Amino acid sequence: MADQNTPLTSIKSWPEDDRPREKLMNKGPEALSNSELLAILINSGSGKRTAVDLAKEILALGHNNLDELGKLSLAALQTIKGIGEARAITISAALELGRRRQQGSDNELRDINFMKSSQSVAQYLQTKLKDYDHEVFAVLYLNTANKVKKFEIISRGGMTGTVADPRIILKKALELNATALLISHNHPSGNLRPSQADISLTQKMKQAAAIMDIRLLDHIIVSTEGYMSFADEGIL
């Protein structure tokens, strides 16, 4: 039974089976809703709102979609009354852990044979780049066995474009002793059609890499709608 001094809006006044922490201990995390899991991170309510109420507001801010929630900045989270910097940081950190778990380990990435399947590469890149609301340009540096030596985001742009400098990319390739490259960027709009600038950059990158005996294996555009492989489409 709740303490007489406990506010009626406090989770402590709820039946034990309905309290997120107790529910997790007794039934496991899979039994909790997204708002209940978030409430555990928030820890306590604010004013007349419980932690679950605050969690529901946060989810609504992300259109009740965890992928959209993962794109929210600390400042956006703090627009909700009762969510200060500390709570926003806790939520952001938890979402990043979930993102990294979904991405898998570096060892799993190294096990992908990039010559066999553009789909497996694209799935990895979608996970890495899907939460950016602006374009970013990334490069995978590979060895002679087509295993990844390094993944790196080279540049960040605006909502409609980013610029990648082949000189910077090739300089890093030489430093890593990479023999092949796979370049990628995201389209936040969801549209997977390459622009003329995308095609021009790809050709320039391929020609510059060839001079140094470095192969450009593919250019993959990713978005929430899927992916587009230059190699698969025969335009590399």
Side-chain angles (χ1 to χ4, degrees), residues 21 51 126 128 136 149 200 213 219:
R21 290 178 183 276
Q126 279 180 300
K128 293 288 285 187
V136 296
K149 295 173 72 71
S200 176
D213 290 326
H219 182 172

Side-chain angles (χ1 to χ4, degrees), residues 13-136:
S13 67
W14 295 6
E16 186 170 316
D17 286 347
D18 292 335
R19 301 176 198 169
R21 290 178 183 276
E22 285 78 2
K23 189 174 180 180
L24 187 147
M25 287 189 292
N26 295 330
K27 299 181 180 180
E30 65 278 359
L32 277 68
S33 66
N34 290 339
S35 59
E36 289 172 328
L37 290 169
L38 267 176
I40 291 175
L41 296 174
I42 295 168
N43 191 41
S44 61
S46 176
K48 294 184 178 181
R49 293 171 298 165
T50 66
V52 173
D53 293 330
L54 291 175
K56 289 178 178 178
E57 287 189 50
I58 292 170
L59 287 170
L61 194 63
H63 307 291
N64 292 306
N65 182 303
L66 291 179
D67 281 340
E68 292 299 315
L69 185 62
K71 298 177 183 179
L72 296 179
S73 65
L74 294 178
L77 291 170
Q78 290 177 76
T79 60
I80 295 176
K81 188 175 181 181
I83 301 299
E85 183 179 64
R87 286 177 172 177
I89 288 172
T90 298
I91 294 166
S92 180
L95 290 167
E96 177 61 22
L97 281 173
R99 184 183 298 110
R100 292 183 186 187
R101 182 184 182 194
Q102 186 178 3
Q103 289 170 4
S105 69
D106 289 340
N107 288 334
E108 289 173 340
L109 175 60
R110 293 189 188 101
D111 287 340
I112 297 174
N113 189 314
F114 286 76
M115 290 294 286
K116 288 184 178 180
S117 171
S118 61
Q119 183 179 6
S120 59
V121 185
Q123 288 174 341
Y124 171 80
L125 291 167
Q126 279 180 300
T127 305
K128 293 288 285 187
L129 305 180
K130 69 179 181 179
D131 288 342
Y132 290 99
D133 60 3
H134 55 276
E135 281 201 13
V136 296

Side-chain angles (χ1 to χ4, degrees), residues 166-167 169-171 173-174 178-183 201-217:
R167 293 172 299 178
I169 295 171
L170 292 173
K171 181 176 181 290
L174 292 173
T179 58
L181 302 170
L182 190 148
I183 58 178
L201 172 64
T202 304
Q203 294 303 322
K204 184 186 295 184
M205 189 71 241
K206 180 180 179 180
Q207 292 167 10
I211 293 172
M212 299 181 180
D213 290 326
I214 297 173
R215 294 169 298 145
L216 178 61
L217 300 181

